[in-house]
Amino acid sequence: MDDKKQNIDSKEHLLDALDASENTDEDLKELLSDPDNIQDIRLLQDCRKCFIREDSSLGGEPEIAWGKFLRKQKKNSKRVSYRLWMAVVVAAACLVLVWGGLRFYVFSEPKGGLEFVAYSPDSTSVEVMLSTSSGRQIILSDSRMDSLLENSGKVLRQEKMLTYVNEEQMADPEMHTLTTCGGSFYQFCLSDGTCVWLNAGSRLIYPNFFKGDQREVELYGEGFFRVARDTLRPFRVKSGDIVTEVLGTEFNLRNYLREDTHVTLLQGCVKVKNESSFEEVVIRPGEDAFLLENGSFEVKKVDTDNYSLWTQGYFYFDNESMLSVMRELGRWYNVKVVFRNDSMMDVKLHFWAQRDQPIEKALELLNSVSHAKVSYEEHIIFVD
C-alpha cells in the first residue's frame, strides 16, 4: 500500500512539474523513459482531440483548457486509482508535447538532426546498363543492342533476356558488368547455364565465358542464383569479404550494407566464408547465414520467401523491420526515404505487394497494415 501511495505521490509531483510555466525536455524524458508510459502515450495521443472539443467554449485556447483539466484532476486526486493517475499523467504529457510545441520523438515530427535518412538513391537513372572491359557501354533497352554486342562474344537476346553461349576460345574472356538502377531488375543466363536475377540498385561482374577450373563472379547489392551443376568447377560468388561457393543450387545473396548481409539457401548446399575473419559455415535448404559485427555468421531457419519472391515481382516481408521494408521500397522506386519518427524503424510487420504498381498504391497498402503514417511528397517517402 505504501509503494502504491509513493507511486501516486510521484505522479502528482510530475503533474506539478508539467504544470510549471517552463517545462524542460528532461521532465518529459523522465516520464517517457518507461516503455509502458510510451505505449500509453501512443494509445492516448488522440485524447487531445476529444479534450479540445470538450473545451470548445474556451475558444480553442490550449493553456486555459489545460489549466482547467489539471485543476479538475488535482481536486479529485484522492479518489482516483493509481492506474487513472497514470492515464492522467500520460494525457498531460500528450497535451504538453502537442500544445507546448516540444518536438519529442515519440509521436511528433522531428526536425533537423532528428530526421534519419534510411535510403538515398545514387542516381535518377532507371536504365539497365551493360559495360565491358573493352570500354563499351550498352543500354539494354537500346534498339541497337544486338549490333553493339557483336564483338562481345556470343550473346543472344531472347524475350528481353541476355543469354551467353559457352564458346571457350584461346583468347582470354572479356569481363562484363551488368548494372541495375532503381525501379529495375534483370534476368540473364551466364555461359555455363547459370541463371541470375539481379535486383534493383545492384551490379554483377562476370566473364562472357568461363575458362579454366573455376566459375567466379562478383556481386554488389542483391542477386538470386540458379547455378548450373558442374562437379569439376565450383561456382563462386564474391561480395565484399563474403565468398559463397556451390556446385549447383539455388540461393539468394544480399549485401547492400555490411550490417544487412545474408546468404539464403533454397536448394542444395553452399559454403559461406568471410575472408577477413576466416569464419566459415555450411548452410542447408531453408537456412540463412547472417553476417554478425564480429565477422562470424548466425545461421537460422527462415521463410525463404522473404529473400526470393522479389524475383517473381513481389515485395514480401514476414516479420521484418520497418527500416528494412522502407529501404527496399526506396531502392525499388528510386526515391529518398526519411524517418521523422525513428521509434518506428525497429517495428516489425508483415507486408506484401506487387512491385509493378505505383508507389502511391504500395504506400496505401503499407499504411493499412502498420501503425506508422507513411506519406510521399516531392519524390521523398516520409515515415512519421
Side-chain angles (χ1 to χ4, degrees):
M1 188 69 179
D2 290 338
D3 291 340
K4 192 172 186 180
K5 184 178 183 302
Q6 185 178 359
N7 285 332
I8 293 175
D9 290 340
S10 67
K11 301 306 178 184
E12 289 181 304
H13 175 73
L14 189 50
L15 274 175
D16 289 335
L18 291 172
D19 193 31
S21 58
E22 293 184 5
N23 299 295
T24 65
D25 288 350
E26 285 71 22
D27 295 327
L28 299 173
K29 289 179 181 179
E30 178 186 348
L31 172 68
L32 298 171
S33 62
D34 186 342
D36 291 336
N37 289 1
I38 293 176
Q39 183 179 6
D40 286 339
I41 286 173
R42 290 182 180 137
L43 292 173
L44 292 171
Q45 183 180 358
D46 289 338
C47 76
R48 68 187 188 278
K49 299 176 183 177
C50 298
F51 191 84
I52 292 172
R53 286 196 295 268
E54 181 182 352
D55 292 87
S56 58
S57 60
L58 297 174
E61 290 292 332
E63 293 82 5
I64 299 175
W66 162 241
K68 178 182 176 182
F69 173 77
L70 189 60
R71 288 192 298 273
K72 181 179 178 182
Q73 300 307 324
K74 286 183 178 179
K75 182 178 179 180
N76 299 322
S77 63
K78 294 182 180 180
R79 298 197 300 269
V80 298
S81 66
Y82 167 72
R83 188 61 189 172
L84 181 56
W85 264 113
M86 173 69 77
V88 169
V89 173
V90 169
C94 284
L95 294 166
V96 171
L97 286 170
V98 174
W99 288 339
L102 294 175
R103 301 179 179 90
F104 201 75
Y105 71 92
V106 173
F107 58 80
S108 62
E109 294 185 0
K111 304 297 181 183
L114 293 180
E115 292 186 346
F116 176 76
V117 178
Y119 180 77
S120 186
D122 293 332
S123 76
T124 58
S125 173
V126 293
E127 298 287 356
V128 179
M129 175 77 72
L130 177 66
S131 305
T132 70
S133 56
S134 59
R136 289 186 298 279
Q137 289 191 327
I138 306 166
I139 296 175
L140 296 189
S141 61
D142 194 323
S143 58
R144 303 169 298 162
M145 192 190 76
D146 292 334
S147 60
L148 293 171
L149 285 172
E150 284 180 357
N151 297 320
S152 298
K154 193 167 184 181
V155 188
L156 307 177
R157 181 171 63 164
Q158 299 172 330
E159 297 181 356
K160 299 182 179 180
M161 185 181 86
L162 292 183
T163 300
Y164 289 78
V165 179
N166 192 15
E167 283 192 344
E168 286 202 22
Q169 306 167 9
M170 295 301 294
D172 291 331
E174 181 181 67
M175 298 305 296
H176 287 189
T177 302
L178 199 146
T179 304
T180 59
C181 297
S184 63
F185 78 106
Y186 202 80
Q187 179 185 357
F188 57 107
C189 290
L190 302 177
S191 63
D192 66 333
T194 293
C195 292
V196 182
W197 288 256
L198 200 60
N199 207 350
S202 305
R203 71 179 184 273
L204 189 76
I205 302 172
Y206 56 95
N208 60 345
F209 65 90
F210 292 106
K211 186 176 183 179
D213 59 359
Q214 281 193 348
R215 300 173 290 168
E216 184 166 305
V217 300
E218 189 167 358
L219 173 71
Y220 298 85
E222 182 170 19
F224 183 91
F225 297 83
R226 183 176 293 160
V227 179
R229 185 169 182 81
D230 186 339
T231 57
L232 299 179
R233 296 191 302 174
F235 190 94
R236 290 163 47 95
V237 182
K238 182 173 174 59
S239 184
D241 294 330
I242 306 304
V243 175
T244 303
E245 184 173 303
V246 303
L247 296 177
T249 187
E250 291 186 19
F251 69 97
N252 190 78
L253 198 162
R254 185 171 75 207
N255 190 18
Y256 289 110
L257 302 168
R258 190 189 185 283
E259 62 267 25
D260 187 28
T261 299
H262 293 262
V263 179
T264 312
L265 184 62
L266 279 75
Q267 293 183 17
C269 177
V270 304
K271 180 172 65 177
V272 186
K273 181 179 180 180
N274 185 341
E275 291 188 324
S276 293
S277 64
F278 303 104
E279 294 285 339
E280 186 176 297
V281 294
V282 174
I283 59 176
R284 307 295 177 184
E287 292 183 338
D288 174 82
F290 171 61
L291 180 64
L292 300 173
E293 289 185 6
N294 62 8
S296 63
F297 294 97
E298 178 187 31
V299 177
K300 62 181 181 180
K301 284 281 188 180
V302 296
D303 181 353
T304 57
D305 285 346
N306 279 354
Y307 304 93
S308 62
L309 279 184
W310 65 266
T311 64
Q312 300 177 36
Y314 293 96
F315 298 113
Y316 183 87
F317 304 93
D318 183 21
N319 198 35
E320 293 289 323
S321 70
M322 177 68 79
L323 179 59
S324 297
V325 173
M326 298 316 301
R327 278 177 170 162
E328 182 65 19
L329 291 177
R331 185 177 296 113
W332 177 251
Y333 289 109
N334 206 41
V335 296
K336 187 175 182 179
V337 177
V338 176
F339 278 81
R340 294 190 293 204
N341 181 354
D342 59 3
S343 68
M344 296 304 301
M345 291 195 294
D346 294 326
V347 172
K348 302 290 187 179
L349 72 156
H350 303 266
F351 172 67
W352 75 274
Q354 292 178 308
R355 301 212 303 178
D356 60 355
Q357 63 188 354
I359 185 172
E360 293 82 2
K361 180 63 176 177
L363 297 185
E364 178 184 342
L365 290 172
L366 183 60
N367 278 321
S368 70
V369 299
S370 72
H371 296 295
K373 178 185 176 184
V374 184
S375 57
Y376 181 57
E377 306 168 19
E378 298 180 352
H379 303 290
I380 302 175
I381 298 176
F382 291 103
V383 183
D384 296 303

